[in-house]
Amino acid sequence: MAGLATPHPSARRIHRILRGLAPAAIVALGATSCATGTDAVAQGGSFDFVSPGGQTEIFYDPPETRGSIGTLAGPNLMKEGEHVSLDDYAGQVVVINLWGQWCAPCRAEADDLETSYEATRDLGVQFLGINVRDPQRDKAQDFVVDNQVTYPSIYDPPMRTLAALGGNYPTSVIPSTLVLDRQHRVAGVFLKALLADDLTPVIERVAAE
């Protein structure tokens, strides 16, 4: 059945348990009065998230069983007046990270995400952040500068873009990370803060497919 989460043998071998990091921050969903980021857009795709047994690392294999996320686009956090879209990265592996500057685990993983990005970008890999629940844009921008994050983020305080991530995706878990293959199908999902040693081997495996 397409979309079912089946841990890949190689994925199991690279699995490591994170130590010393706080659990993912849980944010309450609901109505928001934030008026910024309203031009962020999303449309559903064929991906339907399934997390058997409450796992925090889920891999979707073989590749032909993977679902694709929907249209994903929104304002560029660091370049006001510009937009960024998943469609900008056709043919590339894309790592999508949901984050907020208010989120302690997001701060903990920022260096590791940047390390993984630098280690894999020459393989045809792009990272794309989605900044959520940050009504003060300047604070989110300060996070990017302070943590020397070089990849772009969509600025989406009301979390409108997350509708593209598929039915049942747990958008209340921040941070979380999706690894998309070159056809932008979901190859893996992490529902926790990450170390570079956890993420980089997964990206390299998907990039080599």
Side-chain angles (χ1 to χ4, degrees):
M1 178 180 179
L4 283 180
T6 304
H8 190 278
S10 61
R12 287 195 297 267
R13 286 195 293 270
I14 63 172
H15 174 270
R16 296 183 181 182
I17 298 174
L18 287 174
R19 295 180 175 87
L21 286 179
I26 305 298
V27 296
L29 295 179
T32 176
S33 59
C34 179
T36 55
T38 54
D39 49 352
V41 297
Q43 295 177 358
S46 61
F47 176 59
D48 186 17
F49 176 82
V50 179
S51 177
Q55 297 177 37
T56 58
E57 297 185 9
I58 305 99
F59 302 98
Y60 298 84
D61 288 295
E64 58 268 21
T65 68
R66 297 171 184 163
S68 298
I69 71 169
T71 301
L72 178 65
N76 189 320
L77 171 65
M78 302 302 290
K79 298 180 180 180
E80 295 188 38
E82 294 189 14
H83 275 63
V84 62
S85 170
L86 179 61
D87 291 341
D88 296 337
Y89 310 118
Q92 293 183 287
V93 172
V94 179
V95 179
I96 297 174
N97 176 252
L98 279 60
W99 66 276
Q101 62 82 25
W102 44 266
C103 161
C106 298
R107 293 193 292 272
E109 72 173 1
D111 288 348
D112 288 275
L113 293 178
E114 183 65 27
T115 295
S116 289
Y117 175 50
E118 295 294 338
T120 60
R121 60 190 305 179
D122 289 342
L123 302 177
V125 176
Q126 176 63 44
F127 277 45
L128 178 61
I130 302 178
N131 172 245
V132 298
R133 295 281 173 175
D134 270 327
Q136 293 179 282
R137 188 173 190 150
D138 58 338
K139 289 188 176 181
Q141 292 172 332
D142 288 345
F143 177 99
V144 170
V145 173
D146 292 345
N147 290 282
Q148 300 181 343
V149 177
T150 61
Y151 53 85
S153 284
I154 293 173
Y155 180 56
D156 184 20
M159 306 173 76
R160 297 179 189 277
T161 58
L162 304 195
L165 302 187
N168 302 316
Y169 188 81
T171 54
S172 61
V173 181
I174 307 295
S176 64
T177 300
L178 297 87
V179 179
L180 310 184
D181 64 21
R182 296 188 189 277
Q183 296 182 44
H184 294 174
R185 301 171 301 186
V186 180
V189 174
F190 295 90
L191 302 175
K192 62 180 184 179
L194 290 171
L195 297 174
D197 286 347
D198 297 290
L199 182 57
T200 301
V202 175
I203 298 172
E204 290 173 341
R205 176 174 66 84
V206 174
E209 291 177 346

